[in-house]
Amino acid sequence: MLSASQIRQQFLDFFKGKQHAIVPSAPMVIKNDPTLLFTNAGMNQFKDYFLGNRQPEDKRVADTQKCLRVSGKHNDLEEVGVDTYHHTMFEMLGNWSFGDYFKKEAIDWAWELLTDVYKIDTSRMYVTVFGGDETDGLPKDDEAIGLWSQHISTDRILEFSRKDNFWEMGDTGPCGPCSEIHVDIRSDEERKQQDGKDLVNTGHPQVIEIWNLVFIQFNRKKDGSLENLPAKHVDTGMGLERLCMVLQGKRSNYDTDVFQPLIQALEKKTGVKYGKDTATDIALRVISDHVRAVAFSIADGQLPSNTGAGYVIRRILRRAIRYGYSYLNIQEPFIHQLVPVLTKQMGDAFPELKAQQALIAEVIREEESNFLNTLEKGIDRFEKACANLKAASDQLFPGPIAFELFDTYGFPVDLTTLMAREKGFGGLDEAAYNASLQEQKDRSRQAGKMETGDWVEVNPSGQEDFVGYDQTENLVHITRYRPYKAKGREGFQIVLDHTPFYAEGGGQVGDTGTLTANGSSVQILDTKKENDLILHFTDRLPADPKATFAAVVDTSKRRSTARNHSATHLLHAALRQVLGTHVEQKGSLVDPEHLRFDFSHFQKVSAEELQQITQLVKAEINKACPLDERRAVPIDEAKAMGAMALFGEKYGDKVRVIRFGDSVELCGGIHVQNTNDIGAFEIIKESSVAAGIRRIEAVTGDAARAHLEEEKHKKETAWQEVEGAVKELISLDLAGDGFASAPDLLARAQQKLAVLEKQIAEDDAEEKSRAENIRQQIQEVNAKLESARKERSGAARESLDSQITEAGDVRVLITRHDADASTIKDLAFAFRQEYPNLVMVLGSVFNGKPLLSVMVSDDLVKAKDWNAGQWVRELATEIQGGGGGQPFFATAGGKNPDGLDKALDKAREKVNQELGIRN
């Protein structure tokens, strides 16, 4: 039996033999097409060839394309796992001709591959062709019928309408008739009962389409009419999962080796056997499908999030988690454990899985942990809601409750819909849900709502451009303005003909400055963009809007902002160098005061890594790398230069490239002329923003130097504090009253010293010597404290010896002895060694805090099954505390010293009760 890997490779080898170039799969996550979130068909990466926007390097191409269909027109999510043939992520094998061969070769080669190479039984095969369409004035595809009749009997060539056999990219654009190949994998008995041709295109799970050959020969115009393309193309797609089912003799895609390694790993994890129960089978199918979709999406740069493509991935993952939780009784992160299985299975064909296996697993694990924390609470809220509702097929689950589950517990609406149907509801009240969602959006929108008046034309010149890359002041005219109100503020939005003011964008805040004419000035408070229009915000209009103005940017703020913006580029490069190339910018804020940089990374950045990153940025600053700015660079040329295009950014055909040394990025922001202009650089904070997203905040220039001074002052204060604590320790009378305060003071001094030692640089001999001196003083004090403790223990033993009583064959010591915890532990262990059959309960108050200690000698633990841990928990209630320990020794602290005597009385009663002694 051929494996999935062999089937895939045979396809590629076959078309390589037909002079096709074998190209890699495009990313499953679309990064340069605003009409799609994900690649949902094999043709997506070749769309520009069909549209004529680009010319292909090779006219014959073959590949295997990873695809995802869970949103928009192709939404199969609710069927995935419930049936045996829908999937979220799937592989589409395809061969392509761009103006080269056409129907004959496509049909001949498809038949050759399926029958001669894959050896599919021809008696089980059917083909469909386009049967014509009167509306478009198109006849049936006689050419395809004639070509197919050379391979298969005419009664197996079936004609279908435009709906099934005419492929279109969209409402307009390239299109053409198509021919599908179907295979009947039913048993011989079933085939005898009903002819397979009657089941083609009816949705029968065993009479399935495996390959679609599309003949692109027309262009659909806006008026709906068709015109012939100057060149004809072939676009084919064959689902690997279905092909494997046919070739491996299975009745379900999930029975093939595409999914079985994942299902078997889940069986081992859960102890649930596949094929034994409908509900658990669905769960195993859902999880094995969804881990593929999520893993490939993360590998292609899309992390789970609350918006856009990231939310689709989060929905898929949460659906898988919920099935594991509800049907497989898995209440801990587990899906990430499947990533190595998937990588082993598909990593050779898709090396991005191998390269990013650790990142993929960690992102999934963190997402699982976060969702599991709220899943139980959300399900409990759902169950309580259901208990008060009547579930029936004609009843809809309330939309406001579904919104609450989404808003509070992170439940995707389709998950709530699925759970509601499982409870017997007919579905979800989507109208009410959408109304609740819209109310929230309206509230959010109202909070930031801006009201504007009509535009007032002043000097309409037809030019409203930006000159701020080269100038910080310029003579300008106001072309138009309008009033606005927002967040309790009123003013005007002004448009200039040749503005030097940079509009907020790319994370950089907008410029501020002044407009001056005839000795009078107005302040530019902010600059923003609305589409491509640059708006300047002022609190009032100039006296004469028609005047010629001197537009002057606040260069001090701009320079500070530019330092921070350029530093983000250096920081980005340093992060990728230290942490790995999986690091990708996920957001930024650049203003005059500081910079904030969000990036993809799966764990906290360590102090050592932050130090490395800081040093790399500083090294680039010290190199004095000049700004290499290139404008209007073709996007492909920019990428060839190594410029990083960020996910979610929309780029035109021409872009601006910013290079500082090895840092090359696409960027429209303002930058320094030389990295040395950045001056100082210091990271002030590293934190988590969301699962898989970290944030670094940093400062440059004077702010960085001020931060260093502040940190230096804090550090010196800490040194003085620890030295003062040690000086105080040395002065204590450990033989007298000073003994009680020494342990806490000593512990604080040791803790502060440990923190300081972590901050000492490798080459700082002065601070190392300072720390060594303090450490020696602490050791001396510790030795004196230990000596004092032993002296006190010795004196205490004599006093406590005399208080031991006997009850039958058991020795009992229950008394109060005020001492620190270490002293009492020493006493307890000394008595444990000296006296057999001893139970000892000591109560003490030390530094105002009550402490109970229970010791039970080993022979009593064995003979009477007494347990010090259980005893101390019972007694601790009297001092409003708790604790525990081992069967022979346990302690408990509390809040109420006044309850200590009552606890000791309770201990005596317990001993008497255990020994059967009446008071």
Side-chain angles (χ1 to χ4, degrees):
M1 183 176 71
L2 291 173
S3 69
S5 296
Q6 291 170 322
I7 292 168
R8 180 194 297 116
Q9 194 59 49
Q10 284 190 350
F11 177 90
L12 298 175
D13 290 344
F14 177 84
F15 281 102
K16 186 175 182 179
K18 303 295 184 185
Q19 291 75 52
H20 287 63
I22 308 302
V23 298
S25 171
M28 193 166 70
V29 180
I30 297 285
K31 299 186 179 182
N32 56 1
D33 187 340
T35 66
L36 291 171
L37 292 176
F38 303 100
T39 298
N40 61 14
M43 57 75 57
N44 289 156
Q45 69 166 309
F46 305 119
K47 196 158 88 171
D48 282 347
Y49 299 158
F50 298 134
L51 292 170
N53 296 335
R54 284 194 296 147
Q55 293 301 311
E57 294 182 13
D58 300 288
K59 290 194 171 185
R60 296 184 182 187
V61 166
D63 71 350
T64 177
Q65 174 64 53
K66 49 193 177 182
C67 302
L68 186 70
R69 290 185 181 177
V70 288
S71 58
K73 178 181 175 182
H74 300 291
N75 191 342
D76 299 336
L77 186 57
E78 290 197 16
E79 287 79 24
V80 174
V82 177
D83 62 31
T84 60
Y85 52 92
H86 276 101
H87 302 292
T88 51
M89 181 264 174
F90 60 95
E91 279 189 69
M92 188 70 82
L93 303 169
N95 60 289
W96 317 82
S97 167
F98 308 115
D100 188 19
Y101 63 82
F102 200 47
K103 293 182 184 178
K104 176 174 172 51
E105 293 85 350
I107 289 172
D108 288 349
W109 291 339
W111 188 260
E112 180 184 349
L113 177 62
L114 294 178
T115 60
D116 292 353
V117 178
Y118 289 141
K119 307 294 183 184
I120 297 177
D121 183 354
T122 58
S123 70
R124 292 179 174 271
M125 296 172 65
Y126 302 89
V127 297
T128 65
V129 295
F130 176 55
D133 185 84
E134 290 186 6
T135 303
D136 282 334
L138 294 175
K140 64 180 179 181
D141 193 349
D142 287 323
E143 182 183 3
I145 293 171
L147 292 167
W148 278 118
S149 64
Q150 298 175 28
H151 301 292
I152 193 170
S153 61
T154 54
D155 65 329
R156 292 176 174 272
I157 303 173
L158 311 176
E159 298 177 17
F160 282 87
S161 68
R162 170 177 163 181
K163 174 180 175 291
D164 290 303
N165 280 78
F166 194 88
W167 179 88
E168 304 199 47
M169 183 185 296
D171 294 334
T172 61
C175 55
C178 64
S179 191
E180 298 172 346
I181 304 166
H182 296 250
V183 180
D184 185 350
I185 60 173
R186 295 175 300 156
S187 66
D188 291 338
E189 291 75 16
E190 290 172 307
R191 292 170 65 206
K192 287 177 183 177
Q193 292 174 10
Q194 186 173 12
D195 195 327
K197 70 180 181 181
D198 297 330
L199 298 174
V200 170
N201 279 340
T202 65
H204 193 288
Q206 270 82 52
V207 182
I208 56 171
E209 171 206 337
I210 61 167
W211 206 348
N212 189 12
L213 314 179
V214 180
F215 310 120
I216 301 177
Q217 59 190 99
F218 303 112
N219 179 49
R220 176 78 67 183
K221 299 168 70 175
K222 286 187 177 180
D223 62 6
S225 63
L226 295 174
E227 64 180 5
N228 289 318
L229 289 171
K232 296 177 180 180
H233 314 289
V234 170
D235 161 12
T236 83
M238 178 160 55
L240 175 67
E241 294 79 11
R242 290 189 180 187
L243 181 60
C244 288
M245 178 172 66
V246 172
L247 298 184
Q248 294 177 4
K250 306 297 183 182
R251 307 264 293 189
S252 160
N253 290 359
Y254 292 95
D255 292 335
T256 68
D257 70 338
V258 175
F259 293 97
Q260 275 300 302
L262 295 167
I263 289 175
Q264 288 166 13
L266 282 167
E267 287 179 318
K268 186 176 180 181
K269 166 72 177 175
T270 64
V272 173
K273 193 68 178 172
Y274 184 62
K276 298 293 185 181
D277 177 81
T278 301
T280 56
D281 283 358
I282 291 174
L284 292 168
R285 289 197 293 265
V286 165
I287 296 165
S288 62
D289 173 277
H290 288 8
V291 67
R292 288 162 32 104
V294 174
F296 273 99
S297 296
I298 295 170
D300 284 345
Q302 181 56 64
L303 298 175
S305 69
N306 285 330
T307 57
Y311 181 58
V312 174
I313 302 308
R314 178 165 282 169
R315 281 172 56 208
I316 294 172
L317 181 54
R318 288 184 171 182
R319 185 171 186 256
I321 297 167
R322 184 259 166 177
Y323 265 99
Y325 184 94
S326 297
Y327 295 103
L328 304 179
N329 197 32
I330 307 178
Q331 299 178 8
E332 60 185 19
F334 69 99
I335 295 174
H336 67 283
Q337 297 172 8
L338 298 174
V339 174
V341 179
L342 179 64
T343 302
K344 182 179 180 182
Q345 182 185 357
M346 302 184 72
D348 290 337
F350 300 98
E352 61 269 29
L353 286 179
K354 283 185 177 179
Q356 301 186 76
Q357 178 179 328
L359 171 67
I360 295 166
E362 184 60 25
V363 170
I364 292 176
R365 186 201 63 76
E366 190 170 352
E367 276 287 315
E368 289 186 275
S369 297
N370 290 345
F371 187 48
L372 283 167
N373 286 337
T374 58
L375 182 60
E376 188 171 352
K377 294 178 182 177
I379 289 177
D380 181 61
R381 173 68 182 96
F382 174 81
E383 293 290 347
K384 287 179 179 176
C386 290
N388 297 321
L389 297 168
K390 181 182 177 182
S393 59
D394 61 346
Q395 294 292 320
L396 297 177
F397 187 80
I401 298 177
F403 175 74
E404 179 193 346
L405 289 169
F406 162 74
D407 195 39
T408 306
Y409 302 103
F411 275 42
V413 64
D414 49 354
L415 173 56
T416 304
T417 303
L418 177 66
M419 291 166 60
R421 285 189 174 136
E422 291 171 351
K423 283 290 185 182
F425 289 93
L428 172 70
D429 187 345
E430 293 184 12
Y433 171 81
N434 290 330
S436 297
L437 184 62
Q438 190 61 45
E439 285 177 14
Q440 185 198 53
K441 289 181 178 178
D442 290 343
R443 287 193 297 271
S444 299
R445 193 179 295 114
Q446 194 65 33
K449 186 177 180 181
M450 178 179 290
E451 296 179 6
T452 58
D454 294 328
W455 284 111
V456 177
E457 300 292 333
V458 181
N459 293 300
S461 66
Q463 290 184 310
E464 295 171 334
D465 56 6
F466 173 63
V467 297
Y469 290 141
D470 304 306
Q471 300 166 240
T472 55
E473 52 184 270
N474 192 37
L475 293 179
V476 300
H477 296 93
I478 296 175
T479 61
R480 46 183 159 158
Y481 67 84
R482 67 184 179 188
Y484 80 91
K485 293 181 181 179
K487 297 181 180 179
R489 192 176 73 180
E490 297 184 21
F492 293 87
Q493 296 172 346
I494 293 174
V495 181
L496 306 175
D497 54 359
H498 304 293
T499 181
F501 292 94
Y502 177 82
E504 178 182 316
Q508 180 177 327
V509 298
D511 277 335
T512 61
T514 58
L515 285 179
T516 303
N518 303 319
S520 176
S521 295
V522 295
Q523 294 292 318
I524 300 298
L525 305 173
D526 199 358
T527 311
K528 295 180 182 290
K529 259 191 179 183
E530 185 178 286
N531 297 321
D532 288 327
L533 195 63
I534 298 176
L535 306 176
H536 306 78
F537 289 71
T538 67
D539 59 0
R540 61 187 176 86
L541 278 177
D544 180 11
K546 289 183 175 291
T548 299
F549 293 88
V552 181
V553 173
D554 185 330
T555 52
S556 175
K557 286 185 177 179
R558 180 185 265 207
R559 281 194 296 270
S560 297
T561 303
R563 281 196 294 268
N564 288 330
H565 200 154
S566 298
T568 63
H569 286 219
L570 304 185
L571 174 61
H572 193 185
L575 285 165
R576 289 172 64 85
Q577 186 173 339
V578 173
L579 304 180
T581 54
H582 65 274
V583 167
E584 184 176 288
Q585 181 176 336
K586 295 298 179 183
S588 66
L589 172 64
V590 179
D591 62 25
E593 286 73 38
H594 77 313
L595 66 92
R596 189 180 74 203
F597 191 79
D598 297 345
F599 56 98
S600 55
H601 189 54
F602 49 82
Q603 63 189 24
K604 180 177 176 61
V605 184
S606 69
E608 292 76 14
E609 288 169 330
L610 287 174
Q611 189 173 16
Q612 258 187 290
I613 291 161
T614 301
Q615 293 307 317
L616 284 172
V617 174
K618 287 181 175 180
E620 292 302 304
I621 292 172
N622 292 334
K623 285 179 184 177
C625 303
L627 167 66
D628 180 1
E629 177 206 19
R630 303 187 190 186
R631 302 177 195 171
V633 179
I635 184 70
D636 290 338
E637 182 182 328
K639 290 180 179 178
M641 292 167 58
M644 294 183 61
L646 305 179
F647 177 77
E649 290 288 337
K650 184 178 179 181
Y651 300 105
D653 294 334
K654 300 290 180 67
V655 294
R656 181 168 176 257
V657 179
I658 298 296
R659 181 197 292 271
F660 288 110
D662 293 332
S663 168
V664 187
E665 295 197 25
L666 305 181
C667 182
I670 304 296
H671 289 276
V672 297
Q673 293 301 305
N674 186 296
T675 57
N676 194 247
D677 296 336
I678 297 171
F681 172 86
E682 294 295 331
I683 292 174
I684 58 175
K685 187 178 180 182
E686 190 274 346
S687 60
S688 172
V689 178
I693 305 292
R694 306 298 300 181
R695 171 173 290 174
I696 280 180
E697 296 176 58
V699 287
T700 62
D702 291 341
R705 285 184 279 272
H707 173 74
L708 276 177
E709 285 299 315
E710 183 181 353
E711 290 300 304
K712 184 178 179 182
H713 175 72
K714 286 181 182 177
K715 193 173 183 181
E716 180 57 32
T717 301
W719 278 113
Q720 291 174 4
E721 286 177 355
V722 73
E723 287 170 339
V726 171
K727 187 176 181 180
E728 185 179 351
L729 274 168
I730 293 171
S731 68
L732 289 176
D733 178 11
L734 297 180
D737 294 340
F739 180 82
S741 58
D744 284 347
L745 189 59
L746 180 65
R748 287 199 298 272
Q750 289 172 322
Q751 186 179 25
K752 287 181 178 181
L753 179 61
V755 172
L756 283 168
E757 285 182 313
K758 288 181 180 179
Q759 301 172 8
I760 297 175
E762 283 295 325
D763 56 350
D764 195 331
E766 182 179 345
E767 284 198 344
K768 284 184 177 181
S769 175
R770 194 173 184 180
E772 179 61 29
N773 183 48
I774 295 172
R775 194 183 306 108
Q776 288 178 2
Q777 289 177 310
I778 286 175
Q779 287 172 353
E780 291 172 8
V781 172
N782 201 24
K784 291 178 182 178
L785 182 62
E786 189 61 29
S787 176
R789 183 180 287 117
K790 287 180 179 179
E791 286 182 18
R792 285 170 171 264
S793 295
R797 282 189 63 182
E798 294 180 12
S799 171
L800 293 173
D801 268 336
S802 64
Q803 299 181 55
I804 296 175
T805 61
E806 293 187 1
D809 60 347
V810 174
R811 293 183 175 88
V812 180
L813 175 57
I814 300 176
T815 189
R816 177 166 173 166
H817 178 73
D818 292 336
D820 65 297
S822 296
T823 299
I824 289 180
K825 185 177 181 181
D826 289 344
L827 287 168
F829 277 73
F831 276 91
R832 178 171 170 246
Q833 293 294 323
E834 186 172 346
Y835 293 104
N837 296 333
L838 174 66
V839 58
M840 173 178 171
V841 181
L842 294 182
S844 69
V845 176
F846 193 77
N847 284 339
K849 297 177 182 178
L851 177 70
L852 279 167
S853 303
V854 178
M855 190 281 292
V856 180
S857 59
D858 293 346
D859 37 15
L860 291 180
V861 171
K862 293 176 182 178
K864 297 188 179 294
D865 198 26
W866 288 0
N867 187 303
Q870 293 176 1
W871 283 35
V872 84
R873 281 190 288 272
E874 293 177 30
L875 301 176
T877 59
E878 302 299 335
I879 59 171
Q880 297 178 12
Q886 296 172 292
F888 59 84
F889 182 70
T891 61
K895 303 175 183 176
N896 180 26
D898 295 336
L900 203 58
D901 290 338
K902 193 173 180 181
L904 295 174
D905 288 341
K906 191 173 181 179
R908 295 183 186 98
E909 291 173 9
K910 185 170 182 63
V911 170
N912 290 340
Q913 184 181 354
E914 291 285 342
L915 297 175
I917 299 173
R918 294 183 180 179
N919 293 333

